[in-house]
Amino acid sequence: MFTSLKNFIDSRLGRGIVLDDFSNDAGFFIRISSHNLLSVAFFLKNDPDLRLALLDQIILLPPGFLWPAENSYNEIVYQLQSIKLPYRVSVTIIDDGKRMIQSLTSLYAGAEWHEDELRAQGCNIEESGENI
Amino acid sequence: MTKSTHDDSLIISRLEQKELSNIKFFSSRSEFFPLVTTVLLKPIFGTLPINIGLHLHLIGNKIINARVDRGYYHQAMEQTFEALSPHDAIIAIGRINIKAPLFYQVTLMNAYLSLLDEKPIHAPRMLTSAMEIVRAYHHLNVVQSILLCAELETLATFAGECELFLKQPFTLFSRIFSTSSAPEPMSSTEMSVAIAEALQRVEELSHAINLEEQLVKRLSRKGILTQALACSWGLSGHYIRANRQYYDLRNRELNLYETPIKVSATDGGDAYARFTLRIAEIIASLIYVQHQLTVLDNFSPLTIESNFLAGAPTDRYAVSEIEGPEGIIKASIFVNDKEQKVYRLRIPAYYIAQAIPQLVRQSDLRDLTILLASLGITAEEIDK
């Protein structure tokens, strides 16, 4: 069991992955760069000390809801939880429109509809591949 | 019901709406795979104008692939909350599921309480008893639908009779009311009798169902979801517990469930495993309520005042989650510097609907109705 998710990820993946840590009583809350999303999500899902295998939801927040108002970019929150360990984690990224955000459907099949809606609202998320 | 401020002839009744939204059946042959037939069934949930359909690719009667056609996704409820007071939002969220609104209301209420750093307003025993009564009633409803689809009319009628005993407690506790519109309370004697009668009949129903081989044939090895697949699709509740995992938030919410409730798990991950879990949960819920009745002596409906939590938030993010009948229900509230709020709801039906293709793949077409009935979800929940 750990108390700081940032320190835990720093020790496993290296420093600089987690940009900010806003954890509180509601759960662990970290911010990462969008280009690290898929690798961090893979780690969070598969690390035996985390096992965040359940996708809770993917939330799009308007600019300024988590960071200062001068930030004009949308904020995307990925909420994950573990069914075997008592962890709830929210991972946030900023969609600055400059780079494509990786799809998480290869890890979480349930991300498909969420990502469809985010694309419909203007987010720059890559297509998940062939639809059935 | 649609209404124009200028032309009353555009107003149509609910009956006309139902007639207009007949189930459409389109069929075509694939150009490249002549053996594959494509079928569109729409709507598959209810007859309100929320047309959620299902594209099926068939070879003969076997479903080889499926895709949910969910049309325009509204999210109207989440946007509506931004303009409402906490009291009005908690009353309004009940519309998501008119059959079991309490869980959504309690989830949102607890999120507000967390945001404002307030203590719970309802005694835990009363609140959890109410939730378990509503849970049992919901499951009985789904069990009855499954039995009807399996053409077991006698058992379905018996399940309906079990529901009747829970009808009055359910009406009292199905939702959180505004203080001005709360129904009359029940006496402890009436409540005890209703729960005892319902429990006895459910146990008889459970015994009768165990002897019914036809049901096993219709549900066994159908709609299989392993634990890994269930988690990947975002499913919780009995989709996890049908894979030998005792994962239930009720045993983690020790400040709410002071007396632990019995949580069942089974294996197989198929529709029959989830069905047996429903029966077990009905019995566990009624036994829990019966135990609480020895301590509770007041059965007034749950209410909130009109000025409920009319204060400034003390945090920028609050979350609350509840173990609903079909999985985890979660409400997240985000607050910015100007105290504007954004609401996001996690509704189990959304994830279940998304996983329908996974559930029906490799099933026979004739099993489709019973599989859809076993999901226990409504179109309004999927659409929010």
Side-chain angles (χ1 to χ4, degrees):
Chain A
M1 299 285 288
F2 52 84
T3 55
S4 169
L5 182 61
K6 180 179 184 303
N7 291 345
F8 182 79
I9 293 177
D10 283 349
S11 66
R12 298 279 171 108
L13 296 182
R15 291 180 178 274
I17 300 286
V18 178
L19 303 177
D20 284 300
D21 189 339
F22 305 98
S23 302
N24 58 17
D25 293 340
F28 295 105
F29 208 118
I30 58 171
R31 182 166 72 95
I32 63 172
S33 293
S34 59
H35 64 268
N36 286 328
L37 176 65
L38 190 59
S39 48
V40 170
F42 183 89
F43 167 74
L44 293 175
K45 179 180 178 184
N46 294 293
D47 187 274
D49 293 323
L50 284 170
R51 301 199 214 183
L52 295 163
L54 184 65
L55 174 68
D56 244 354
Q57 46 187 340
I58 304 175
I59 298 171
L60 175 65
L61 295 176
F65 256 86
L66 291 174
W67 288 285
E70 57 259 28
N71 171 18
S72 59
Y73 303 125
N74 284 335
E75 302 155 357
I76 304 177
V77 183
Y78 295 81
Q79 294 184 334
L80 308 171
Q81 64 173 285
S82 172
I83 63 167
K84 293 188 187 286
L85 299 169
Y87 296 130
R88 302 275 192 280
V89 171
S90 298
V91 179
T92 68
I93 62 171
I94 286 179
D95 178 23
D96 57 11
K98 292 176 187 168
R99 67 172 85 225
M100 193 77 86
I101 296 170
Q102 297 154 317
S103 168
L104 291 190
T105 51
S106 57
L107 295 173
Y108 301 100
E112 186 180 346
W113 279 12
H114 288 287
E115 290 177 350
D116 282 346
E117 283 145 34
L118 262 58
R119 279 187 216 103
Q121 293 173 63
C123 288
N124 208 17
I125 301 180
E126 67 182 11
E127 293 286 338
S128 55
E130 174 105 12
N131 240 346
I132 295 164
Chain B
M1 192 162 163
T2 58
K3 184 168 181 166
S4 162
T5 53
H6 302 293
D7 187 353
D8 287 343
S9 68
L10 292 176
I11 298 174
I12 57 173
S13 67
R14 292 281 264 223
L15 184 60
E16 285 170 306
Q17 278 188 350
K18 284 189 179 184
E19 288 171 354
L20 286 170
S21 61
N22 291 326
I23 293 192
K24 298 178 183 64
F25 184 93
F26 298 111
S27 171
S28 65
R29 286 258 175 221
S30 167
E31 180 183 338
F32 299 104
F33 301 100
L35 292 177
V36 176
T37 306
T38 303
V39 166
L40 170 62
L41 300 175
K42 194 170 186 178
I44 53 171
F45 292 112
T47 52
L48 290 176
I50 302 172
N51 271 317
I52 296 175
L54 193 61
H55 283 269
L56 300 171
H57 295 265
L58 306 167
I59 292 182
N61 282 334
K62 185 75 90 176
I63 301 171
I64 56 168
N65 234 331
R67 178 171 59 83
V68 176
D69 176 5
R70 65 181 173 132
Y72 178 71
Y73 185 65
H74 293 85
Q75 281 185 305
M77 189 64 71
E78 292 168 338
Q79 291 165 15
T80 302
F81 293 153
E82 295 169 17
L84 294 178
S85 65
H87 167 271
D88 292 344
I90 291 168
I91 301 298
I93 198 175
R95 294 203 302 263
I96 280 182
N97 183 344
I98 58 172
K99 292 184 182 178
L102 178 67
F103 293 98
Y104 298 94
Q105 291 180 306
V106 170
T107 309
L108 188 59
M109 181 179 70
N110 285 346
Y112 277 123
L113 289 168
S114 174
L115 193 66
L116 274 67
D117 203 21
E118 294 273 352
K119 292 180 185 173
I121 62 163
H122 293 294
R125 286 183 196 275
M126 176 58 75
L127 189 59
T128 53
S129 300
M131 290 201 292
E132 293 312 310
I133 288 171
V134 177
R135 188 190 312 272
Y137 191 84
H138 166 88
H139 283 319
L140 269 173
N141 212 286
V142 178
V143 164
Q144 189 185 20
S145 299
I146 294 170
L147 293 171
L148 280 171
C149 289
E151 296 164 6
L152 297 168
E153 281 90 7
T154 310
L155 287 178
T157 307
F158 193 42
E161 289 168 8
C162 299
E163 265 185 73
L164 281 175
F165 284 103
L166 282 180
K167 182 85 177 169
Q168 195 179 358
F170 171 77
T171 306
L172 191 67
F173 290 123
S174 63
R175 60 178 64 241
I176 295 174
F177 297 93
S178 188
T179 46
S180 57
S181 61
E184 290 297 316
M186 279 177 79
S187 68
S188 59
T189 310
E190 284 175 328
M191 183 65 79
S192 300
V193 167
I195 299 299
E197 293 284 346
L199 179 58
Q200 183 191 344
R201 274 156 180 75
V202 168
E203 284 171 341
E204 290 170 15
L205 176 68
S206 170
H207 180 70
I209 283 172
N210 286 341
L211 300 173
E212 194 54 63
E213 286 183 6
Q214 187 181 344
L215 197 60
V216 176
K217 277 185 198 170
R218 292 301 304 274
L219 292 174
S220 191
R221 300 173 70 83
K222 309 273 173 65
I224 296 174
L225 274 177
T226 62
Q227 180 195 309
L229 270 177
C231 288
S232 178
W233 284 105
L235 302 174
S236 49
H238 46 258
Y239 292 92
I240 304 289
R241 292 195 287 277
N243 287 287
R244 286 189 290 178
Q245 288 293 325
Y246 287 87
Y247 184 68
D248 193 316
L249 289 187
R250 290 176 291 175
N251 284 345
R252 298 187 176 205
E253 296 283 340
L254 296 176
N255 57 336
L256 203 58
Y257 283 84
E258 293 173 348
T259 312
I261 191 165
K262 185 185 174 194
V263 171
S264 302
T266 182
D267 60 4
D270 59 6
Y272 187 70
R274 294 190 289 272
F275 176 76
T276 56
L277 275 179
R278 282 190 197 276
I279 303 289
E281 286 180 15
I282 295 170
I283 295 172
S285 292
L286 293 177
I287 290 173
Y288 175 86
V289 175
Q290 208 172 42
H291 179 78
Q292 301 305 313
L293 289 178
T294 59
V295 180
L296 293 168
D297 55 3
N298 176 24
F299 299 99
S300 301
L302 304 171
T303 57
I304 50 173
E305 300 284 340
S306 57
N307 60 350
F308 177 68
L309 292 181
T314 59
D315 212 337
R316 299 192 61 170
Y317 167 62
V319 64
S320 166
E321 48 188 0
I322 291 276
E323 184 74 33
E326 299 302 332
I328 297 170
I329 299 169
K330 186 170 180 174
S332 304
I333 307 178
F334 297 86
V335 186
N336 67 1
D337 293 332
K338 299 169 191 168
E339 293 192 5
Q340 294 165 330
K341 299 188 188 78
V342 165
Y343 297 78
R344 289 294 179 264
L345 301 172
R346 184 201 200 277
I347 312 274
Y350 180 84
Y351 297 85
I352 294 169
Q354 194 179 183
I356 285 175
Q358 183 73 43
L359 284 163
V360 304
R361 206 168 287 155
Q362 300 300 325
S363 301
D364 277 344
L365 190 58
R366 75 181 188 114
D367 294 326
L368 186 62
T369 48
I370 198 170
L371 284 174
L372 292 178
S374 73
L375 301 179
I377 59 178
T378 60
E380 298 92 324
E381 288 177 289
I382 300 166
D383 192 58
K384 284 199 254 179

